């Protein structure tokens, strides 16, 4: 039999079968489906539906055991139906007794057979109005028997012969008696599925709305990016024009300075040549009396010309640089970078700063600061200069100190070092290979800081608890055999002091020498006490 056009070949759907994905295909298209079973297996376990591209499982018997799509057959309508008996020819008539569609050949055979010769046969066109009536379905295992029963155990319609054969002793009932129960269960499942369909449609609508929102937001952000980029480009172009204008003004300023210097030197040269020519003519052509009379004026003029100072090595601050990383403020509300650097460091105007510039302690980290200034004495305000520091011992040439130079990025440089030997050192600080102001200078490195070995006390009597043998480096004594100092007695400095060296400053370095063993024991005893 045939139904609506096959979704694959678009031909009338002959003997359509229903796949588990509920798509109906004609028998030829089903036979052409490629198997997805394991290689070497006789039968395919599953196939791909050409409509939804889903992998669907096949019955054990393969495509032949798929359920016929009776619904598609009933929707055939005006489409040419197939013969229910031979399934080869197109049905042209219908046997009302058998309730079967017959082709012309089967119709003639139907009339010749004794059992069916008396059946009422009518033209198929006359039965179209009865399409809504239930069409009888015949058992695929027993083609002459109608499917009137339903096997509950196997959950499928069967005929009378099936009940007597394969479905013997299976609970069954007439289809009319069980349709309500199974139909209601299917309706409940349909209702649940419809709810899910509604939910999925809502989710898809939300996704569509989200997609629309994403597209709208993307377009808005793209507009913002374009506006930002356009504004940024205009700001950069304006900053570029400003920099070029600044550079042109700087060039004109320097050229004017050069022209002024050149004019001054040309005028001085002209004056000197005039003086030289006049003097030479006077000395070669003038009489003795004329020379003596004019000598004063000529000498005064030449002396004045010779006293005019001028640089024999003219130079100009040509250190114009462009720094792309330099912050240049804002332009049109955008922060821009890139500045023209016209300042040139002048080693003669640089300064060395630090409290311990000329003194240090052995093996103690110390340092000083180099401040770089330009030719006008103003602070450079940026780093990157070539700074070199050399520290050498004046007496021991092989004793050198390796300093560390840290660029602070603001025109200052911190130089740190740790001398290993005491003595006098020569410190040379160079910027661009030239000595800075104050370089070279002498650095005096003292011995290691000597810690006090005694106690910082008011007097020996108090710190020792009245011990007569306790002594103090201040040299004070007390009557009664006390060898240490006491308040108001001879030799007491009148203030707290160190017992080991007599220093009155608590944070001072110990100046004590190497006392005798007896004195050392007494001082140590004072410390212990």
């Amino acid at each position: 039999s045939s139904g609506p056009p096959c979704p694959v070949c678009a031909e009338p759907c002959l003997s359509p079968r229903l796949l588990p994905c509920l798509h109906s295909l004609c028998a030829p298209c089903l036979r052409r489906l490629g198997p997805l079973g394991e290689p070497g297996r006789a039968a395919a376990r599953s196939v791909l539906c050409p409509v939804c591209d889903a992998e669907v499982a096949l019955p054990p018997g393969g495509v032949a055991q798929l359920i016929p799509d009776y619904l598609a057959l009933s929707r055939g309508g005006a489409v040419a139906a197939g013969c229910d008996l031979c399934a080869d020819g197109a049905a042209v008539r219908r046997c009302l007794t058998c309730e079967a569609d017959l082709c012309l050949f089967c119709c003639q055979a139907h009339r010749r057979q004794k059992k069916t010769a008396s059946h009422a046969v009518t033209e198929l066109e006359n039965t179209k109005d009865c399409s809504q009536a239930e069409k009888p379905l015949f058992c695929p295992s027993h083609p002459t028997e109608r499917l009137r029963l339903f096997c509950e155990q196997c959950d499928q319609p069967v005929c009378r012969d099936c009940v007597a054969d394969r479905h013997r002793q299976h609970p069954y009932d007439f289809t009319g008696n069980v349709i309500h129960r199974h139909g209601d269960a299917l309706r409940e499942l349909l209702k649940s599925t419809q709810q899910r369909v509604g939910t999925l449609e809502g989710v898809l609508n939300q996704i569509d709305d989200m997609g629309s929102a994403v597209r709208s937001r993307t377009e808005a952000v793209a507009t913002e990016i374009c506006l930002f980029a356009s504004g940024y480009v205009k700001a950069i172009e304006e900053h570029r024009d400003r920099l070029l204008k600044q550079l042109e003004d700087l060039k004109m300023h320097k050229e004017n300075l050069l022209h002024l210097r050149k004019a001054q030197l040309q005028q001085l040269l002209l004056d000197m040549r005039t003086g030289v020519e006049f003097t030479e003519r006077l000395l070669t052509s003038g009489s003795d009396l004329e020379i003596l009379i004019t000598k004063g004026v000529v000498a005064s003029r030449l002396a004045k010309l010779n006293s005019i100072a001028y640089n024999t090595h003219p130079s100009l601050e040509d250190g114009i640089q462009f720094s792309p990383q330099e912050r240049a403020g804002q332009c049109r509300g955008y922060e821009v970078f890139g500045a023209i650097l016209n300042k040139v460091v002048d080693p003669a105007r640089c300064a060395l700063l630090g409290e311990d510039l000329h003194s240090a302690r052995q093996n103690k980290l110390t340092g000083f600061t180099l401040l770089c200034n330009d030719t006008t004495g103003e602070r450079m305000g940026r780093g990157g200069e070539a700074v070199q520091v050399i520290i050498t011992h004046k007496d021991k040439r092989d004793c050198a100190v390796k300093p560390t130079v840290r660029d602070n990025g603001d025109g200052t440089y911190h130089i740190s070092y740790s001398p290993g030997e005491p003595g006098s050192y020569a410190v040379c600080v160079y910027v661009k290979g030239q000595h800075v102001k104050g370089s070279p200078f002498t650095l005096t490195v003292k011995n290691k800081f000597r810690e006090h070995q005694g106690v910082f006390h008011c007097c020996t009597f108090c710190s020792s608890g009245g011990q007569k043998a306790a002594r103090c480096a201040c040299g004070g004594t007390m009557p009664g055999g006390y060898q240490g100092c006491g308040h108001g007695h001879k030799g007491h400095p009148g203030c707290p002091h160190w017992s080991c060296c007599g220093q009155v400053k608590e944070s001072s370095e110990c100046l004590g020498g190497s006392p005798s063993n007896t004195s050392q024991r007494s001082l140590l005893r004072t410390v212990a006490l």
Side-chain angles (χ1 to χ4, degrees), residues 387-403:
V387 177
Q388 183 182 12
V389 180
I390 300 176
I391 304 176
T392 56
H393 202 289
K394 289 186 176 182
D395 299 328
K396 302 177 182 179
R397 295 299 178 183
D398 58 342
C399 180
V401 178
K402 294 183 179 180

Side-chain angles (χ1 to χ4, degrees), residues 257-519:
L257 289 178
L258 288 175
H259 291 159
L260 178 60
R261 290 186 185 181
K262 184 177 180 180
Q264 292 173 345
L265 292 176
Q266 287 177 339
Q267 183 62 45
L268 179 59
L269 178 61
L270 179 61
D271 293 342
M272 284 187 173
R273 283 177 175 173
T274 301
V276 168
E277 292 175 357
F278 182 84
T279 305
E280 288 178 346
R281 190 170 61 253
L282 175 65
L283 293 175
T284 56
S285 304
S287 63
D288 295 342
L289 187 57
E290 290 174 344
I291 294 175
L292 293 174
I293 293 174
T294 317
K295 176 185 73 69
V297 178
V298 174
S300 175
R301 178 58 175 169
L302 293 179
K304 183 177 181 181
L305 291 175
N306 291 334
S307 65
I308 297 177
Y310 60 91
N311 194 351
T312 58
H313 300 285
S315 62
L316 188 67
E317 301 171 7
D318 58 350
I320 303 175
Q321 299 177 0
F322 176 69
S323 176
Q325 293 81 19
E326 196 81 15
R327 293 182 180 271
Q330 289 195 349
C331 182
R332 290 177 172 263
Y334 297 90
E335 186 176 7
V336 292
F337 294 82
I340 296 176
L341 306 178
N342 186 35
K343 288 186 176 183
V344 179
V345 65
D346 186 357
R349 293 182 179 271
C350 296
L352 298 172
L353 309 174
E355 296 181 357
D356 298 330
L357 184 61
H358 298 280
S359 62
R361 286 282 183 178
Q362 181 184 5
N363 295 331
K364 182 179 180 182
L365 184 65
T366 186
F368 57 91
T369 300
L370 168 64
L371 174 62
C372 289
N373 298 321
D374 62 4
T375 54
T376 63
E378 293 185 0
R379 183 170 173 175
M380 289 295 294
R382 57 180 174 84
E385 302 296 342
V387 177
Q388 183 182 12
V389 180
I390 300 176
I391 304 176
T392 56
H393 202 289
K394 289 186 176 182
D395 299 328
K396 302 177 182 179
R397 295 299 178 183
D398 58 342
C399 180
V401 178
K402 294 183 179 180
T404 301
V405 180
R406 185 182 73 242
D407 188 349
N408 296 325
D410 57 356
T412 62
Y413 301 81
H414 183 73
I415 295 91
S416 58
Y417 59 94
S418 178
E421 296 288 339
S424 296
Y425 289 79
V427 182
C428 300
V429 182
Y430 302 94
V431 173
K432 291 186 176 180
Q434 300 181 27
H435 281 285
V436 301
K437 183 180 180 180
S439 173
F441 62 90
T442 300
L443 170 66
T444 302
V445 178
K446 299 179 181 179
N447 290 317
K448 294 181 181 179
F449 188 87
R450 295 180 59 184
E451 301 289 343
H452 290 280
Q453 301 299 318
V455 293
F456 192 71
H457 59 183
C458 59
C459 68
T460 308
F461 184 84
C462 293
S463 62
S464 66
Q467 296 291 327
K468 290 186 175 182
R471 304 178 65 181
C472 181
C474 69
T477 59
M478 290 176 58
Y482 288 94
Q483 300 180 21
C485 63
H487 292 289
H489 292 280
K490 180 180 178 181
H492 190 274
C495 60
H497 55 281
W498 285 100
S499 64
C500 51
C501 63
Q503 287 272 64
V504 297
K505 187 177 180 181
E506 186 175 5
S507 60
S508 62
E509 181 183 7
C510 184
L511 302 179
S514 298
S516 61
N517 294 338
T518 305
S519 300

